[in-house]
Amino acid sequence: MDLINFVRVLLKKKKLLIIIPIIAVVASFILTMNLKNSYKSIAKISAGITDENQITIEGEVDLRPYVVQNKFSNLIELVKSKKVVDLVSYKVMLHDIENTNKFRPFSKLFSELDSSAINYIKDVLNDKYENMQELLNSDEGEKGIIKLIKSMAYDYKSILKKLNVYRIGGSDYIEITFESESAYLSAFIVNAVCNEFIRFYDLSNQIKSDKNVSFFEELANQKKAELDSLVNRLKNFKVNNQVINLYEQTKTLVIQMKDLEVLREKEKKNIPSLEEAINEINSKLGDKTKLYVEADLQPFQKNIIEKRKKLKNIRKQYIASGKYNQAVEDTLRKLKDELSGLIKNTSDALLVDPNVSKKELVSKRLKYQLEKELAEEAVKSYDREISRLRNQVEVYAPLEATNNAYEREISVAAEAYLVLLNKLSFAKFNSVSAGNGIKKMESGQAPDKPLSSKKMLLVIMAGFVSFVLTVVLIFILEYIDLTIKTPHRFLSMAKTNLLGYLSKFEGETINLKEIFSSHEKTGQSEIFTNLLKELRFNLSESLNGSKKLLLTSPGEKEGKTIIGISLAYAMANVGKKVLLVDTNFRNNELTKIFSAKNSLAGFIKDEEDIESAVTKTEIENIDIIGSANGFASPFEIAGSEKFIDKVNQLGNHYDYIFLEGPSFTKYSDSKELMNVADKIVPVFSADSTLVEADKNILRQLESREDQYIGSIINKVRLENIEGAYGEIPKKRGFIRRSVKKLLRRNLASAK
């Protein structure tokens, strides 16, 4: 639907567009006549969420936008919660009960109560208010109080309708507003909401904080006892196993073992060289000499053996101690020096002896043997001590695993204990600072003046909205309207050739003679005449010498009868002789209009000649052959060949023969008549819809390219013709003319 056509539709329905908004305006005015004045009170609270200077043990305040917004959303929902609003309801109800200057008059339900019932209500409301409890529907008495509060419009839903809570921009403030018919009631409820919210919020936080402190204290004490138990277990383990520091002790043992292994290897290196020296001396001394010299040294052997034994024992003890001792080192060095001196003195005592040189060798052998024995004894001592230390290390290994396990358990318990202490400190801090963040910044005041009246705005809005809705409804109805209406719409829907169209003639009958002969034509008669003349021209051009024309239609009541008569009259006006043949056996309306004789069947069967079969009309050059209603098809009268031959005979006497056929979709008669006619023209009513069956008929007709010359639209309303016909002269107001010019200019420039 284009804009101009839609504007035409709106102008056509202008009365509807005027009446409906007027009704809406009047109705809204009546409904708002007794609308009470409304008073608005405002209060503000500070949330303390975006305060960067607030004290916290969590570090910096988290001011990320989504975190802040989430906190504000939670606070706003809490302000509007049923818990808080119920407390406000109790408070305002108690005010009206206890004071003479009530905010609202008592409801009918309230007025029926006696003093004892009112005292009961006061006691219950005071108790619920002090303990911050809800009224229960399960209790009959409290259920009655709930109904009473609703009757006074102080219930949760009633208050919430007029209560607005929102954050002011990006600030730390929350604004609370309330509207009512009383300035003092608005101020009272706004302040009550602030106070009850802060009271409820502080108490809830305090209870929550105290529970947290108790919870974390209990956990911390349990974890402390567990930690002490683990520490005592480790202590007893170390005492029982003579362990102080397993790591250091094991480390010391390993170092001792390494040092002893170094000393042992050093002693082991000396043994082979001493053995070699002893063997070399033995090779120089014979067995007899060796015995003799040893016999001479026998007196000194006892002293040497004692010194050597003492030296071995001290060395053995020193190695076993595993510790460096300077005094023991000095004793060992002294004994070695004494032993060397003793051996030297023994050699000096033997210098006068002739066997001195051999005895010197024996002395050296004795010294080497002593050193060898000391080295071997030292290696054995080192091995024993290393073995002992290794056994000690092996004993420490399982102890170390147990010790480490105990220490790990202590570490985990200590870490958990520290976490709980931190949580406990945080809970205690929250308990002390609970409720310090939210404060009431501005109290609500009773406004001096009511809000600006919305009565006029409501009336205007009612008129405007009703007008818009009416326009939308008209648009929807027009959009879903699938009737043909205009020639342009028919072409877009049918996509076929359009031979012409005729306007709908308002009136009971159409007097063609009067329309054509009148010198002063009305608007619709002039348009009808012009359209008919244009259709006559197009039809003459399309017939191009052909005489027999079949007028049919997809359905009934499309107006093909009036089209046939109008075309016949138009042709007769230009001197053409036209014969109308009523072949619509289903509805012989054409025969009835002209009161023609029922002679078609007789003519086809040769029972009548042309002169007796034809009925002369009052209109010059127009004759008609009538028929009777029936169920037989044209070819069933006397066969197809006979029917075609008789119609062809008529062509010798007339310029044009117009055949009218019945509905194309319901009956097969028109399909038979297609074999009789030279050309075919379907007629469509502008008030009918073009369904898929109609389109299929058009496709069938278009397949007969030599016969189908186009379609005719009938009953087109005058307001739907302008798009194809041109501007129709009629009275228009200044505004309508201006709008029309503007639309035409803008649409023309857009194209």
Side-chain angles (χ1 to χ4, degrees):
M1 184 191 304
D2 56 47
L3 184 58
I4 292 180
N5 286 332
F6 182 61
V7 171
R8 289 197 187 102
V9 173
L10 293 179
L11 292 174
K12 179 184 175 184
K13 302 182 183 297
K14 57 183 177 291
K15 291 182 180 179
L16 193 64
L17 290 172
I18 294 173
I19 292 172
I20 291 178
I22 289 175
I23 293 172
V25 167
V26 172
S28 62
F29 178 77
I30 294 172
L31 292 174
T32 57
M33 276 178 59
N34 299 321
L35 191 66
K36 295 179 180 180
N37 289 329
S38 183
Y39 295 86
K40 182 178 182 181
S41 185
I42 302 172
K44 293 179 183 177
I45 59 175
S46 173
I49 294 174
T50 60
D51 184 7
E52 296 182 353
N53 297 321
Q54 59 180 300
I55 301 173
T56 176
I57 61 173
E58 293 180 297
E60 295 183 358
V61 181
D62 191 350
L63 296 179
R64 288 175 292 177
Y66 74 91
V67 175
V68 172
Q69 185 59 40
N70 186 49
K71 290 181 179 179
F72 271 104
S73 298
N74 291 336
L75 280 181
I76 290 171
E77 290 304 315
L78 185 58
V79 173
K80 297 191 295 183
S81 66
K82 192 174 187 301
K83 195 78 173 179
V84 173
V85 176
D86 279 349
L87 296 175
V88 176
S89 298
Y90 304 157
K91 199 168 183 180
V92 71
M93 279 292 292
L94 288 170
H95 173 275
D96 281 4
I97 293 173
E98 296 171 350
N99 294 274
T100 55
N101 55 335
K102 301 173 179 57
F103 294 131
R104 287 173 180 165
F106 283 152
S107 63
K108 182 180 179 181
L109 183 62
F110 209 122
S111 302
E112 296 173 354
L113 300 175
D114 55 22
S115 58
S116 61
I118 293 175
N119 290 330
Y120 168 75
I121 293 170
K122 282 173 59 178
D123 293 339
V124 172
L125 290 178
N126 278 316
D127 180 65
K128 295 292 183 181
Y129 176 77
E130 292 298 329
N131 296 307
M132 293 187 178
Q133 295 176 346
E134 295 183 17
L135 292 168
L136 302 175
N137 272 314
S138 57
D139 186 280
E140 287 299 325
E142 295 182 9
K143 186 177 181 180
I145 297 175
I146 292 173
K147 292 181 179 178
L148 192 64
I149 293 174
K150 287 182 178 179
S151 71
M152 294 291 292
Y154 290 149
D155 59 297
Y156 172 70
K157 291 183 178 179
S158 299
I159 292 177
L160 202 62
K161 284 180 182 178
K162 300 295 183 179
L163 182 68
N164 286 315
V165 184
Y166 54 90
R167 182 187 179 191
I168 303 176
S171 69
D172 191 54
Y173 298 103
I174 295 175
E175 187 168 280
I176 301 172
T177 67
F178 186 79
E179 295 180 23
S180 72
E181 72 282 2
S182 169
Y184 297 101
L185 175 60
S186 297
F188 184 89
I189 288 184
V190 161
N191 291 319
V193 168
C194 291
N195 296 333
E196 299 312 319
F197 163 67
I198 294 174
R199 183 167 79 102
F200 177 74
Y201 182 80
D202 290 350
L203 181 62
S204 299
N205 277 1
Q206 191 63 53
I207 293 172
K208 188 188 298 180
S209 299
D210 292 344
K211 286 184 178 179
N212 288 341
V213 170
S214 300
F215 175 74
F216 286 117
E217 275 185 344
E218 183 180 355
L219 285 182
N221 291 333
Q222 291 177 359
K223 190 56 68 176
K224 177 69 166 56
E226 181 183 346
L227 181 62
D228 292 342
S229 174
L230 293 174
V231 170
N232 289 331
R233 184 179 70 173
L234 180 62
K235 179 181 177 182
N236 294 333
F237 172 77
K238 289 185 175 181
V239 170
N240 295 334
N241 292 280
Q242 298 180 352
V243 174
I244 298 174
N245 189 326
L246 276 172
Y247 175 75
E248 292 297 330
Q249 287 179 267
T250 305
K251 182 179 178 182
T252 301
L253 292 176
V254 171
I255 292 173
Q256 288 180 0
M257 288 170 62
K258 288 182 179 179
D259 292 342
L260 291 175
E261 286 175 351
V262 171
L263 294 173
R264 183 186 65 182
E265 293 303 317
K266 184 177 179 182
E267 294 294 342
K268 278 185 176 182
K269 288 180 181 179
N270 291 332
I271 291 173
S273 60
L274 290 172
E275 287 180 346
E276 186 178 352
I278 291 170
N279 291 332
E280 186 178 350
I281 292 173
N282 288 336
S283 64
K284 291 180 179 181
L285 296 174
D287 292 336
K288 292 182 178 182
T289 303
K290 182 171 71 171
L291 292 172
Y292 172 76
V293 173
E294 288 178 350
D296 290 340
L297 293 175
Q298 196 68 33
F300 302 96
Q301 285 281 45
K302 183 178 180 181
N303 198 13
I304 292 171
I305 291 170
E306 288 178 357
K307 293 286 183 182
R308 187 172 63 183
K309 186 176 180 180
K310 187 176 181 180
L311 182 63
K312 287 180 180 180
N313 290 334
I314 293 173
R315 182 189 288 274
K316 185 177 179 181
Q317 293 174 3
Y318 178 63
I319 293 171
S321 67
K323 297 179 180 179
Y324 176 76
N325 193 319
Q326 186 64 43
V328 176
E329 285 283 343
D330 294 342
T331 302
L332 288 172
R333 193 177 296 108
K334 183 178 179 182
L335 284 173
K336 285 182 180 180
D337 292 342
E338 288 178 358
L339 189 59
S340 299
L342 183 60
I343 294 173
K344 183 179 179 184
N345 291 334
T346 302
S347 301
D348 292 340
L350 297 173
L351 289 174
V352 294
D353 197 283
N355 297 318
V356 169
S357 58
K358 292 184 179 181
K359 287 184 177 181
E360 185 178 357
L361 293 174
V362 172
S363 177
K364 288 183 178 180
R365 186 172 70 85
L366 183 61
K367 179 182 178 181
Y368 292 157
Q369 282 181 338
L370 178 61
E371 291 179 357
K372 176 175 173 291
E373 289 176 4
L374 289 174
E376 289 175 345
E377 187 63 28
V379 168
K380 291 178 181 179
S381 297
Y382 288 141
D383 286 338
R384 284 195 298 272
E385 187 62 21
I386 289 171
S387 177
R388 186 185 70 81
L389 293 176
R390 185 175 287 111
N391 291 335
Q392 187 65 33
V393 170
E394 290 176 355
V395 171
Y396 281 170
L399 295 179
E400 184 177 9
T402 305
N403 182 79
N404 290 342
Y406 287 170
E407 286 182 348
R408 279 195 301 272
E409 290 182 20
I410 292 172
S411 176
V412 171
E415 185 177 352
Y417 179 62
L418 290 175
V419 171
L420 288 174
L421 287 180
N422 184 50
K423 295 283 186 181
L424 179 60
S425 299
F426 179 63
K428 288 181 177 179
F429 175 82
N430 284 342
S431 179
V432 173
S433 61
N436 291 340
I438 297 179
K439 297 178 182 178
K440 187 177 179 181
M441 302 304 295
E442 291 184 15
S443 297
Q445 302 296 326
D448 297 330
K449 297 179 181 180
L451 295 173
S452 58
S453 178
K454 299 178 182 177
K455 296 178 183 178
M456 187 56 64
L457 179 62
L458 290 173
V459 170
I460 295 172
M461 285 297 295
F464 176 75
V465 171
S466 61
F467 177 80
V468 172
L469 290 177
T470 305
V471 171
V472 172
L473 182 61
I474 291 172
F475 176 80
I476 293 173
L477 293 176
E478 288 296 318
Y479 185 78
I480 63 176
D481 186 4
L482 300 178
T483 55
I484 295 172
K485 285 189 177 181
T486 66
H488 175 73
R489 192 168 182 180
F490 174 80
L491 290 173
S492 63
M493 295 168 66
K495 296 180 174 52
T496 188
N497 182 39
L498 182 62
L499 193 63
Y501 56 92
L502 290 180
S503 61
K504 186 173 184 178
F505 201 89
E506 302 295 339
E508 295 182 359
T509 59
I510 302 176
N511 192 328
L512 294 173
K513 187 175 182 180
E514 183 179 339
I515 291 173
F516 274 86
S517 62
S518 177
H519 297 290
E520 296 182 2
K521 294 183 173 63
T522 61
Q524 68 171 349
S525 63
E526 181 181 0
I527 293 169
F528 184 86
T529 304
N530 293 335
L531 292 176
L532 185 57
K533 289 178 180 179
E534 183 178 355
L535 179 58
R536 179 183 64 191
F537 174 78
N538 293 336
L539 182 62
S540 299
E541 291 291 317
S542 299
L543 288 174
N544 193 22
S546 299
K547 292 186 176 185
K548 293 170 289 184
L549 175 67
L550 172 64
L551 294 171
T552 184
S553 63
E556 297 177 339
K557 306 294 183 181
E558 300 282 355
K560 53 185 176 291
T561 301
I562 191 64
I563 291 290
I565 295 172
S566 299
L567 282 174
Y569 189 86
M571 291 293 186
N573 265 1
V574 294
K576 300 296 183 181
K577 193 173 182 181
V578 181
L579 175 64
L580 296 173
V581 181
D582 191 356
T583 51
N584 187 355
F585 299 155
R586 310 296 174 173
N587 183 13
N588 62 343
E589 188 67 23
L590 190 62
T591 302
K592 293 176 182 178
I593 290 174
F594 289 101
S595 300
K597 293 183 291 184
N598 178 16
S599 56
L600 179 60
F603 174 71
I604 298 300
K605 294 178 180 178
D606 289 330
E607 294 175 358
E608 294 187 46
D609 57 11
I610 295 177
E611 291 181 0
S612 62
V614 171
T615 301
K616 300 288 183 179
T617 67
E618 295 178 357
I619 305 171
E620 188 178 358
N621 291 331
I622 297 179
D623 295 337
I624 181 172
I625 296 179
S627 63
N629 277 340
F631 298 99
S633 66
F635 287 173
E636 288 177 347
I637 296 174
S640 58
E641 293 182 1
K642 183 72 172 178
F643 192 94
I644 294 171
D645 180 60
K646 296 297 288 185
V647 173
N648 288 336
Q649 291 178 20
L650 295 172
N652 298 326
H653 303 276
Y654 295 92
D655 295 314
Y656 296 109
I657 300 173
F658 292 166
L659 304 170
E660 180 183 328
S663 170
F664 205 100
T665 54
K666 288 187 176 182
Y667 311 107
S668 62
D669 300 31
S670 292
K671 295 179 181 178
E672 293 181 359
L673 292 172
M674 288 168 61
N675 297 317
V676 179
D678 298 325
K679 303 295 181 184
I680 306 168
V681 173
V683 177
F684 294 86
S685 172
D687 296 330
S688 64
T689 57
L690 195 68
V691 296
E692 194 62 33
D694 300 337
K695 294 179 182 179
N696 291 334
I697 291 170
L698 285 172
R699 301 291 87 82
Q700 293 178 27
L701 296 177
E702 287 175 347
S703 64
R704 294 175 173 260
E705 297 179 1
D706 56 338
Q707 287 184 290
Y708 176 70
I709 58 176
S711 301
I712 296 175
I713 303 176
N714 188 28
K715 304 178 184 179
V716 182
R717 298 179 184 274
L718 292 179
E719 60 266 21
N720 296 328
I721 287 178
E722 276 193 331
Y725 179 80
E727 187 171 352
I728 298 175
K730 52 186 169 181
K731 292 182 179 181
R732 293 185 175 93
F734 173 76
I735 296 176
R736 186 172 176 183
R737 291 198 304 272
S738 301
V739 170
K740 188 170 183 179
K741 289 179 181 179
L742 181 64
L743 288 173
R744 285 186 178 279
R745 184 166 58 249
N746 291 339
L747 291 174
S749 61
K751 292 179 180 179

